[in-house]
């Protein structure tokens, strides 16, 4: 398949065939990760800049590992300690990094639309969205898809429950796009105060009872309670939240026998997920992290023209 995406801003334009092709590419990358010497020359001479205006462990580190395993040079830039703290604009920061030779800029920002804005402003570097505000986190959706697909196979007709703070979740928005494109039917669940108003236009249904959402589900996806994006008072208390919507063994028992339990991390153990579930036999949470490296390798490879 000829790869037509230079940037990754969101997954809106991706077809099911492209998603499947991408999963296969990520599988090839996993073979590199599993080698004793985790190194391939595909992106030698390319420069990747991780440009993070928000905190991150998984996304930033996995992009760094992904670039290095493909022999790209990787520079990590973070807003704290940079000239952004002296007032330099986002556009000037990005132009500066591009002028220094960045071939790809991986950007995480608290404002919705920043990756799209930069894609329009930069002249040559590819832009990859590593999370923009509450809007999207497309590489998380790709890694979620990859880890579910590896465990469950063809996802067409599978049932997924996304439980928790959907309102503030860029992960949920990107996952809904990606999993629906693969034929998965999605039920959202959580406090009504943490649900978006546009569930119908998203093509999903909403139930408030976690048991109803979990019953027969193939994928149970628990979201992080995002204290940093919440106004006060949207949940009664973290204890109450855990009792009503948190993942526990009895919730998982209602799902299908081989159901996978997912969480994007970082987890608030004892709030949205009990440790017995996070570390239990249905959990693929560390598998998601591992898929994150493979998926980001595949993305850098395809967007930076490694295939050519
Ligand atoms: N899931 C995720 O984006 O994690 P980080 O914030 O650690 O990158």
């Amino acid at each position: 398949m000829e790869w037509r995406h230079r940037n990754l801003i969101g997954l809106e334009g991706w077809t099911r065939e492209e998603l499947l092709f991408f999963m296969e590419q990520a599988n090839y990358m996993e073979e590199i990760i599993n080698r004793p010497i985790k190194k391939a020359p595909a992106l030698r001479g390319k420069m990747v800049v991780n440009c993070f205006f928000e905190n991150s462990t998984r996304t930033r580190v996995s992009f760094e590992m992904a670039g290095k395993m493909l022999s790209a040079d990787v520079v990590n830039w973070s807003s704290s300690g940079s000239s952004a703290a002296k007032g330099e604009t986002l556009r000037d920061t990005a132009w500066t990094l591009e002028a220094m030779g960045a071939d790809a800029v991986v950007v995480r920002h608290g404002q919705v639309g920043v990756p799209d804005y930069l894609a329009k402003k930069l002249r040559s570097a590819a832009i990859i969205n590593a999370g923009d505000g509450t809007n999207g986190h497309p590489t998380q959706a790709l890694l979620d898809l990859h880890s579910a697909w590896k465990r469950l196979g063809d996802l067409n007709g599978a049932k997924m429950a996304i439980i928790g703070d959907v309102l503030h979740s860029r992960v949920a928005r990107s996952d809904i796009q990606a999993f629906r494109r693969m034929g998965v039917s999605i039920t959202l669940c959580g406090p009504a105060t943490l649900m978006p108003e546009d569930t119908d236009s998203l093509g999903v249904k909403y139930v408030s009872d976690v048991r109803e959402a979990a019953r027969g589900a193939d994928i149970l996806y628990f979201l992080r309670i995002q204290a940093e994006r919440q106004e006060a008072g949207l949940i009664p208390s973290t204890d109450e939240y855990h009792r009503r919507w948190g993942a526990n063994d009895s919730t998982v028992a209602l799902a299908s026998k081989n159901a996978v339990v997912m969480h994007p991390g970082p987890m608030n153990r004892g709030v949205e997920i009990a440790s017995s579930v996070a570390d239990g036999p249905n959990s693929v949470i560390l598998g998601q992290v591992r898929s994150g490296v493979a998926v980001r390798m595949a993305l850098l490879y395809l967007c930076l023209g490694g295939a050519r």
Side-chain angles (χ1 to χ4, degrees), residues 86-98:
K86 295 188 241 168
E88 187 164 40
T89 66
L90 181 63
R91 188 187 60 184
D92 283 335
T93 300
W95 276 350
T96 299
L97 297 173
E98 189 179 48

Side-chain angles (χ1 to χ4, degrees), residues 101-136:
D103 295 295
V105 176
V106 178
V107 62
R108 169 171 289 191
H109 202 287
Q111 291 293 321
V112 168
V114 163
D116 186 42
Y117 170 78
L118 291 181
K120 289 174 179 136
K121 295 292 172 198
L122 290 189
R123 296 161 182 116
S124 59
I127 293 288
I128 295 174
N129 182 359
D132 64 323
T134 55
N135 181 51

Side-chain angles (χ1 to χ4, degrees), residues 220 222 242 246-253 261-262 267-285:
L220 290 174
F222 293 92
H242 184 67
N248 56 46
D249 294 325
S250 59
T251 322
V252 178
V261 170
M262 306 180 85
M267 290 183 273
N268 297 303
R269 287 175 183 259
V271 181
E272 69 265 2
I273 191 162
S275 282
S276 60
V277 174
D279 308 328
N282 297 81
S283 172
V284 294
I285 293 169

Side-chain angles (χ1 to χ4, degrees), residues 55-60 108 137 140 264-266:
N55 297 339
S56 169
T57 296
R58 278 149 283 271
T59 312
R60 194 191 62 72
R108 169 171 289 191
H137 193 351
Q140 178 72 42

Side-chain angles (χ1 to χ4, degrees), residues 106-246:
V106 178
V107 62
R108 169 171 289 191
H109 202 287
Q111 291 293 321
V112 168
V114 163
D116 186 42
Y117 170 78
L118 291 181
K120 289 174 179 136
K121 295 292 172 198
L122 290 189
R123 296 161 182 116
S124 59
I127 293 288
I128 295 174
N129 182 359
D132 64 323
T134 55
N135 181 51
H137 193 351
T139 62
Q140 178 72 42
L142 290 170
L143 74 88
D144 289 339
L145 207 53
H146 185 249
S147 37
W149 177 73
K150 277 195 335 184
R151 268 288 272 264
L152 301 175
D154 184 5
L155 296 173
N156 195 24
K159 287 169 39 179
M160 178 180 197
I162 301 180
I163 299 153
D165 180 2
V166 179
L167 181 66
H168 299 95
S169 177
R170 54 194 177 203
V171 173
R173 286 192 174 268
S174 292
D175 271 17
I176 289 168
Q177 285 175 341
F179 281 84
R180 282 194 70 233
R181 190 66 39 84
M182 298 297 279
V184 176
S185 67
I186 298 176
T187 301
L188 304 182
C189 178
T193 48
L194 295 180
M195 288 298 130
E197 285 173 7
D198 56 345
T199 48
D200 285 346
S201 64
L202 291 172
V204 296
K205 71 173 187 177
Y206 166 67
V207 299
S208 60
D209 183 349
V210 74
R211 287 164 304 180
E212 194 182 338
R215 199 164 286 120
D218 303 294
I219 303 163
L220 290 174
Y221 199 107
F222 293 92
L223 295 168
R224 182 170 73 88
I225 287 290
Q226 301 195 40
E228 75 274 25
R229 291 190 219 283
Q230 282 198 33
E231 308 117 51
L234 291 179
I235 55 171
S237 72
T238 50
D239 283 351
E240 171 79 1
Y241 180 88
H242 184 67
R243 268 196 303 280
R244 291 191 60 185
W245 292 286

